[in-house]
Amino acid sequence: FKKIICALKQAIVLLVRYVDDTFSLIKGRKVKEVLNQIKFFHPKIKFTVEIEKDGSLTFLDVDTKRNDDNTLGHSVHRKATTTNRYLNYLSYHHMSHKVSVVDALTYRALKICDAETVNPDLNFITNILKTNGYPSSLIERRISTMKQQLFPNAIQIKKQDQKQRVILHYLGQINSR
């Protein structure tokens, strides 16, 4: 048993577990060897394997891809059967429910996506919400609010077309001059 554990430690580079799902990075071509070793831990536990295809693998609604520099990129996974239908903005529901749709989709994108995929995903969310009747102003405001809540210390880049302004303290008649 100790030999098996020792061999597994040498073969497995990364092991992440969520309930009954496990994400592993295994060195070289040792996937079948590792699977054969772990299937003997308990007779009632069955292991299955999904191997990356084209440098990509989906795990818990996250698309994980191998970058050219051997780092891992990640983005939100949407199944081919996803309808992209959400609570319609014109439906008779409380406004807080409609706002929570925008917030939930935005939160998911901001927490899952890496720097390369977050903006395309937010654009996708914006387009999908517009097709569900949501006004652009609400979508943009909620995305901005979620960014500020999740990343309060991040430097917010101003839009290039936004005019610069100076704010002066009120000093009575001096300001009016």
Side-chain angles (χ1 to χ4, degrees), residues 53-64:
K53 291 177 187 164
D54 300 324
S56 177
L57 183 66
T58 300
F59 179 70
L60 298 176
D61 293 336
V62 177
D63 279 333
T64 306

Side-chain angles (χ1 to χ4, degrees), residues 27-165:
K27 288 181 185 176
R29 305 269 185 244
K30 298 183 180 182
V31 176
K32 288 182 182 178
E33 182 182 319
V34 168
L35 186 61
N36 285 334
Q37 290 177 355
I38 62 174
K39 70 181 180 182
F40 294 111
F41 278 121
H42 194 280
K44 300 265 182 186
I45 299 175
K46 303 290 182 214
F47 289 93
T48 59
V49 145
E50 289 181 42
I51 298 174
E52 69 178 89
K53 291 177 187 164
D54 300 324
S56 177
L57 183 66
T58 300
F59 179 70
L60 298 176
D61 293 336
V62 177
D63 279 333
T64 306
K65 66 174 182 136
R66 184 193 319 244
N67 294 325
D68 294 334
D69 61 354
N70 273 339
T71 59
L72 294 178
H74 35 88
S75 61
V76 174
H77 173 74
R78 290 181 182 83
K79 295 179 181 176
T81 57
T82 301
T83 62
N84 293 320
R85 293 196 52 166
Y86 296 98
L87 178 64
N88 191 287
Y89 187 77
L90 300 175
S91 65
Y92 187 70
H93 285 83
H94 193 272
M95 187 61 178
S96 65
H97 297 167
K98 298 170 188 178
V99 168
S100 71
V101 170
V102 182
D103 287 356
L105 292 171
T106 303
Y107 179 87
R108 184 175 176 214
L110 293 174
K111 285 303 230 180
I112 291 176
C113 293
D114 58 20
E116 290 180 20
T117 59
V118 69
N119 287 329
D121 200 69
L122 290 174
N123 290 336
F124 179 81
I125 290 167
T126 299
N127 292 332
I128 291 305
L129 290 172
K130 284 180 184 177
T131 61
N132 283 277
Y134 287 76
S136 297
S137 59
L138 172 67
I139 299 167
E140 290 170 13
R141 188 172 63 247
R142 293 311 304 167
I143 288 175
S144 176
T145 300
M146 291 300 292
K147 283 180 179 179
Q148 289 172 0
Q149 286 177 359
L150 293 174
F151 310 109
N153 297 327
I155 298 171
Q156 296 295 325
I157 300 170
K158 293 183 179 182
K159 293 180 182 176
Q160 291 180 356
D161 61 335
Q162 189 177 23
K163 294 180 182 177
Q164 290 186 348
R165 59 186 180 146

